[in-house]
Amino acid sequence: METQGGITVQRALELPGLRSGLPEVVACADRLNRTVRWVHAGEVPNIASLLKGGELLLTTGLGLGTRPAEQRAFVRRLADRGIAALVVELGPRFSRLPSTIVETARAAGLPLVQLHREVPFVSVTEEVHTEIVNGHYTLLRRAEEVHRRCTEALLGGGGIPQVLGILADFTANPVFLETADGQLLYAAAPESGEACADPLQVWEGLRGQREAREEGPPANGVIVDVPGGGHGAGAVRARIALLAVSSPLLPVHRIAAERAAGILAVVLMQARQEEELAARGRGDFLTDLAEGRIAAEDAPAQARVLGFKPGEGPLLPVVMRLAAELAPAGNWAVLARAVLEELSAVGVPVLLGVRPVEGRVPLLLGLRSESERTAVADRVAAALRAGVERAGLERAGAHPPVVVVGVAGSWTAASAGLRHAAETATAAQGLSDRPWYDARRLDIDLLLWRLREHPDLAAFVDRAIGPLRDHDRTSRPPLLPTLQTYLAHAGRKAETARELHLNRQTLYNRLARISELLGTDLDDPQTVLALSLALRARRHTT
């Protein structure tokens, strides 16, 4: 019988060394299937403190003590330590084990064996250890055979389903590959037996069991990590889940799963690298198009090579920009795949690329008509944000991704539109979060961003709203949010009061205080224009 890293007590007693001692089981004969992880011999009273659990302890009884209380304590400490069994050689110390020792072992559930003949403990130790090592070798050899078959399957053109199928046949149980956060990627069942039923039904039960337990492996299963899914040591790309449906899971099954995990890590890494390289290639094309390194008349042919075949309608440029603290980390292949999956239902041709260094995702979409622009932009923005979440590119406290939609038009317009959208997405970092921005409505922000390092811009902001910034650093309530909301509503006081949840008189008092601090008239159009520009520019000067 296979055990976890050893042999059973029963098997140890059947080996020549112990068998020659005429062993007699005097307590817990029903527990001889316990695993012997190692053999230890000793005669000291505190020997339990030297053990780790799983040992077969050989002794002549010199450390057992002479009083019943000492003998009970000795046996209980060994049982608490979790040893496999206690073997006492009869002789000068005991002609037969006292009832105190036998009863204590029986009550503690510890297998107790007495030897009626003297045996050399060193021979017993060597014999059992050899058996354990041979057992390990047998397990490894069977697991290596599975590893060889999985490797041959991949070299023959197979993929992840074939590897999981081999593992399922070997374990005679369903096998699953899931993401690090528990989402199912692949499922496989053995070709025959009770476990060959629909594995997805089994997966539903496994997921319910997980939710009930909140975390950790299933009670009747094994989870093996597939390494390499992130940055740093110990990162997990995916997990293999084995579930004992029709057959028990043995140690050799875990070893085989660990071998398969190494193969799957390479397969998944290669797949991700190929996906990311392809996505980067599309990103390079779109960037070259935006920056004029590809002529508009040459672009359609190159796009067709990349799989983009729009119709006769206009092209819609879109650019997503991640916060600076998130780029270039993250799984960009997962991002690209997730966005394309989300966009599959939109029904328009899509060319999506990634630019990890800049933290940018450029896209071109083929519309049937200009009238589709808003509806398609809504779907694309939602897909991009869903892709960011699935790729793990979100972080608490970071700015949300900015999605900018350019002007739809020809290939020539697409070139300029991609460039404009990319610059505008950078300038829009830190604006109030919206599903997407129309590039045409952010030209002022783009102009101010381009002037961000000019000293006159910082001086202008300080002259225009400096007194309000000074006030808000030391006094309450802050007045800059009130001014920003008031200008956003074009001076409509009723709408401003509703958004700020203020009554009319409180708003009037705050506006009067703002006018007093700035020394300006908030009804003057030139003043309103200057204040609006200053509020927009302060993002780039602080």
Side-chain angles (χ1 to χ4, degrees), residues 1 7-25 29 32-34 36 56 58 85 87 113 115 119 123-124 127-128 131:
M1 175 182 177
I7 63 173
T8 64
V9 176
Q10 180 68 53
R11 174 59 181 158
L13 296 176
E14 293 169 352
L15 294 175
L18 285 176
R19 191 173 68 239
S20 67
L22 301 179
E24 178 188 358
V25 181
L32 298 184
N33 62 343
R34 280 186 166 189
V36 177
L56 182 73
L58 306 175
V87 178
V113 181
L115 300 178
V119 299
S123 298
V124 173
E127 197 172 59
V128 174
E131 189 80 2

Side-chain angles (χ1 to χ4, degrees), residues 378-539:
D378 288 340
R379 298 289 296 275
V380 170
L384 286 167
R385 289 171 181 267
V388 167
E389 182 178 355
R390 287 172 60 181
L393 285 166
E394 289 185 313
R395 187 180 303 167
H399 290 299
V402 173
V403 179
V404 174
V405 179
V407 179
S410 65
W411 278 101
T412 301
S415 175
L418 282 167
R419 182 172 61 255
H420 184 208
E423 293 179 335
T424 304
T426 302
Q429 294 287 322
L431 287 176
S432 57
D433 189 23
R434 292 184 183 179
W436 60 275
Y437 294 91
D438 190 324
R440 295 170 296 191
R441 297 177 62 86
L442 294 179
D443 279 340
I444 292 177
D445 294 273
L446 177 58
L447 176 62
L448 295 171
W449 177 77
R450 287 174 174 167
L451 295 172
R452 65 191 181 281
E453 295 181 358
H454 198 290
D456 287 349
L457 185 65
F460 163 68
V461 171
D462 190 59
R463 287 195 305 271
I465 60 172
L468 285 189
R469 288 194 305 193
D470 295 340
H471 170 274
D472 287 1
R473 291 191 186 103
T474 59
S475 304
R476 291 291 180 271
L479 297 177
L480 275 171
T482 300
L483 176 61
Q484 190 159 2
T485 305
Y486 176 71
L487 296 178
H489 287 290
R492 294 187 288 273
K493 296 183 177 63
E495 295 177 16
T496 303
R498 277 196 299 272
E499 182 169 332
L500 293 174
H501 305 290
L502 301 174
N503 61 49
R504 289 284 190 90
Q505 190 56 51
T506 300
L507 175 62
Y508 295 159
N509 292 340
R510 289 191 185 182
L511 294 176
R513 179 60 175 156
I514 291 170
S515 294
E516 178 185 349
L517 287 170
L518 298 180
T520 58
D521 180 4
L522 295 182
D523 292 327
D524 176 55
Q526 294 299 319
T527 297
V528 169
L529 176 60
L531 291 175
S532 298
L533 289 174
L535 288 172
R536 286 188 173 189
R538 67 179 176 140
R539 290 189 301 113

Side-chain angles (χ1 to χ4, degrees), residues 60-393:
T60 62
L62 294 178
L64 276 164
T66 57
R67 295 182 298 170
E70 294 173 337
Q71 295 169 354
R72 281 193 290 268
F74 183 91
V75 174
R76 285 171 183 158
R77 285 196 295 268
L78 292 177
D80 292 342
R81 205 64 169 175
I83 71 168
L86 173 61
V87 178
V88 183
E89 183 183 83
L90 302 179
R93 180 69 181 84
F94 296 113
S95 59
R96 188 162 187 85
L97 288 177
S99 59
T100 300
I101 295 175
V102 176
E103 291 169 2
T104 304
R106 186 177 296 119
L110 175 64
L112 178 63
V113 181
Q114 59 184 12
L115 300 178
H116 291 275
R117 289 178 58 187
E118 181 180 345
V119 299
F121 283 177
V122 65
S123 298
V124 173
T125 299
E126 181 180 4
E127 197 172 59
V128 174
H129 289 176
T130 298
E131 189 80 2
I132 291 173
V133 171
N134 287 342
H136 275 297
Y137 177 73
T138 300
L139 292 182
L140 290 173
R141 189 168 56 187
R142 293 181 61 191
E144 286 299 330
E145 173 63 18
V146 174
H147 182 270
R148 182 189 63 79
R149 291 173 56 200
C150 291
T151 302
E152 289 179 350
L154 291 177
L155 293 176
I160 293 174
Q162 286 73 20
V163 171
L164 296 181
I166 292 170
L167 194 56
D169 287 337
F170 180 66
T171 63
N173 283 298
V175 177
F176 307 95
L177 184 68
E178 60 179 33
T179 63
D181 60 356
Q183 300 298 312
L184 181 63
L185 294 173
Y186 298 93
E191 292 186 356
S192 61
E194 296 178 9
C196 67
D198 183 3
L200 296 180
Q201 293 182 355
V202 179
W203 172 260
E204 288 298 322
L206 173 61
R207 186 170 62 177
Q209 188 183 124
R210 284 255 190 90
E211 292 173 352
R213 292 166 59 88
E214 293 185 356
E215 59 180 15
N220 57 338
V222 169
I223 300 293
V224 175
D225 290 341
V226 177
H231 301 277
V236 176
R237 183 183 304 283
R239 291 188 172 96
I240 298 174
L242 310 179
L243 199 63
V245 174
S246 59
S247 301
L249 293 172
L250 304 176
V252 68
H253 297 149
R254 172 182 278 278
I255 296 172
E258 289 170 349
R259 297 291 190 275
I263 292 177
L264 293 178
V266 175
V267 174
L268 291 173
M269 183 180 297
Q270 181 182 21
R272 191 185 81 170
Q273 287 176 342
E274 290 175 353
E275 281 187 278
E276 184 162 323
L277 283 173
R280 285 181 182 232
R282 296 190 296 268
D284 291 344
F285 166 77
L286 292 170
T287 300
D288 288 344
L289 177 64
E291 295 179 359
R293 289 189 288 271
I294 295 177
E297 58 269 21
D298 298 330
Q302 294 189 35
R304 280 196 296 272
V305 174
L306 297 174
F308 183 55
K309 300 175 182 178
E312 299 298 322
L315 301 175
L316 181 66
V318 179
V319 173
M320 178 178 71
R321 178 68 183 260
L322 298 177
E325 58 267 33
L326 297 181
N331 193 333
W332 290 83
V334 171
L335 171 62
R337 183 171 63 250
V339 174
L340 289 173
E341 289 173 358
E342 295 284 344
L343 290 176
S344 61
V346 176
V348 298
V350 179
L351 181 63
L352 179 146
V354 298
R355 298 282 292 181
V357 174
E358 297 96 335
R360 195 166 68 232
V361 179
L363 303 91
L364 267 185
L365 299 102
L367 304 181
R368 287 182 291 268
S369 66
E370 170 68 27
S371 62
E372 289 184 313
R373 181 176 183 269
T374 300
V376 169
D378 288 340
R379 298 289 296 275
V380 170
L384 286 167
R385 289 171 181 267
V388 167
E389 182 178 355
R390 287 172 60 181
L393 285 166

Side-chain angles (χ1 to χ4, degrees), residues 42-61:
E43 305 293 346
V44 295
N46 66 336
I47 195 168
S49 64
L50 306 177
L51 305 177
K52 295 182 178 180
E55 294 90 353
L56 182 73
L57 178 60
L58 306 175
T59 181
T60 62

